Structure formats: C-alpha cells, structure tokens
Amino acid sequence: MLETLISFVLATATLAISPGPDNIFVLTQSIVNGKKYGLATVAGLMTGCIIHTTLVAFGVSEIIKQNPNLFFVIKLFGAGYLLYLAYQVYKSDANIAFSTENVQKKSTLQLFKTGFWMNVLNPKVTVFFLAFFPQFLFSDTLPTVIQFYVLGGLFILTSFLIFSSFAILAGKISDYIKQHDKVGIYLKWAQIVVFVGIALLILL
C-alpha cells in the first residue's frame, strides 16, 4: 500500500513540475503581481481539484460496485489515454515560454476565482483524473470512495506545495529557465516516462 502511495506522489510531483497552462499561469501572475497573487491562484486551482476528485470518486466507485468488468475497461481506457498524453507531450515543443505582457492586475479573490473556474471548467482535468487515479487504488478492504479521496488529497497537497514554490520563487525560477534552455527537455521526457510507465504497468 505504502509503495503505491509513494509512487502516486512521485508521479504527481513530476507532472506538477512539468510545464503546463496551470503552473505557467501561476508563475506569470507571481512575476507580474507578486507571490500573494500567485498563491491565490494556486488556492483556486487546488479547490477546483476537489470537485474533480468528487466526480471521479463517486462515479467510478459506483461502477466498481455494479460491474467490475466495466472497471477493467476504465483502466484500459486510462492506459490508452495516458499513452495518448505521452504522445502529445512528445510532439510538443520542449521550450518553456511564458509572457508577462498584457497581464491584467486582479485582486487575490479574482485570481482565486479564475484559478477555480480554470480548473473546474476544464473537462480534460476530469478525464485525466479518471485515467490517472484508478491505477493507484491501494487497498482491497478500504471503500473505494475513501481511497479516491486519499489520492485526491495527496494530489492536491503535492501539487499545492510545488505550485506554491513556483509562486514564492517565481523570479528565481523564471531566471533559471531563461538561463538553462535544456530544462524544458528534461521535464518533457520526465513527463513522458511517467505517462508511459503507468500505462505499461496496467497493460503488462
């Protein structure tokens, strides 16, 4: 059980560090407006994750109760989707580019709301949770709803710590990225390895 949870946290950390719309948005807001505003954005994003966790927890748990074979199909779907994400990352540009031009000044509450709705209204997040979480169910005795919430809590905590570090250290991180152009390549391949590794674990 502990090994599964540690693997989940490591995979989550790798994905949180890898460049994406969310952490780039946090970084940009922090550079332009200050770390307090970046942290407000992070809080909104992480609150949105609670909604996705709930949708997946109760939806998939009900499927497991009614039809274990259908749950196996969901796991196969998850493997296929993760391989698709790995391919998308492979095709993407490894350069990390973020622009601080035309970034509007907003209050911390506005940025919290922006982060929240950015997350909640993104259907790709729900699909990702559906593909990612079931692969790390860690107990044969604990109710699946509780397991999903444990995974959701770990996902939110790990992502929050990393995203908050981006907000607090925004200036240093952006300077480092500008000075080391290979950072994007390393993070790109780390993300690919995580997606492919989890997919192969299911398929094999």
Side-chain angles (χ1 to χ4, degrees):
M1 181 177 80
L2 187 59
E3 289 180 359
T4 303
L5 293 176
I6 291 172
S7 299
F8 179 80
V9 169
L10 291 175
T12 299
T14 303
L15 298 176
I17 292 170
S18 299
D22 290 349
N23 51 23
I24 294 294
F25 183 70
V26 169
L27 200 59
T28 302
Q29 292 298 331
S30 299
I31 292 170
V32 174
N33 299 315
K35 63 182 179 183
K36 180 172 71 172
Y37 296 86
L39 289 171
T41 309
V42 173
L45 289 166
M46 296 304 105
T47 305
C49 286
I50 297 172
I51 306 297
H52 293 291
T53 300
T54 300
L55 290 174
V56 172
F58 285 96
V60 176
S61 295
E62 192 60 33
I63 288 171
I64 293 172
K65 286 180 187 175
Q66 295 183 4
N67 194 334
N69 292 329
L70 186 56
F71 178 61
F72 178 71
V73 173
I74 288 178
K75 288 175 75 73
L76 289 181
F77 157 78
Y81 185 67
L82 292 170
L83 289 173
Y84 167 75
L85 290 178
Y87 177 67
Q88 293 294 103
V89 174
Y90 174 74
K91 288 198 309 177
S92 66
D93 188 354
N95 293 319
I96 303 173
F98 57 92
S99 174
T100 56
E101 296 178 8
N102 302 319
V103 177
Q104 295 180 344
K105 182 79 172 179
K106 295 182 178 180
S107 68
T108 51
L109 180 59
Q110 286 176 318
L111 284 171
F112 175 87
K113 290 178 180 178
T114 299
F116 177 78
W117 290 115
M118 251 177 80
N119 192 283
V120 169
L121 297 178
N122 186 352
K124 290 182 180 179
V125 179
T126 300
V127 175
F128 174 75
F129 274 40
L130 181 61
F132 191 58
F133 278 32
Q135 326 312 332
F136 291 94
L137 291 176
F138 52 88
S139 173
D140 294 328
T141 55
L142 205 62
T144 50
V145 169
I146 293 176
Q147 292 185 64
F148 276 119
Y149 272 109
V150 169
L151 294 174
L154 287 172
F155 183 92
I156 291 168
L157 177 62
T158 304
S159 300
F160 178 79
L161 291 174
I162 291 173
F163 278 34
S164 296
S165 299
F166 284 175
I168 294 168
L169 303 172
K172 292 181 180 179
I173 291 173
S174 63
D175 289 342
Y176 186 84
I177 289 172
K178 290 172 184 174
Q179 294 170 11
H180 300 80
D181 55 355
K182 290 188 177 179
V183 169
I185 297 173
Y186 298 141
L187 292 176
K188 173 179 176 176
W189 281 101
Q191 201 171 2
I192 291 171
V193 167
V194 168
F195 285 142
V196 173
I198 298 170
L200 290 179
L201 190 66
I202 304 162
L203 297 174
L204 300 179

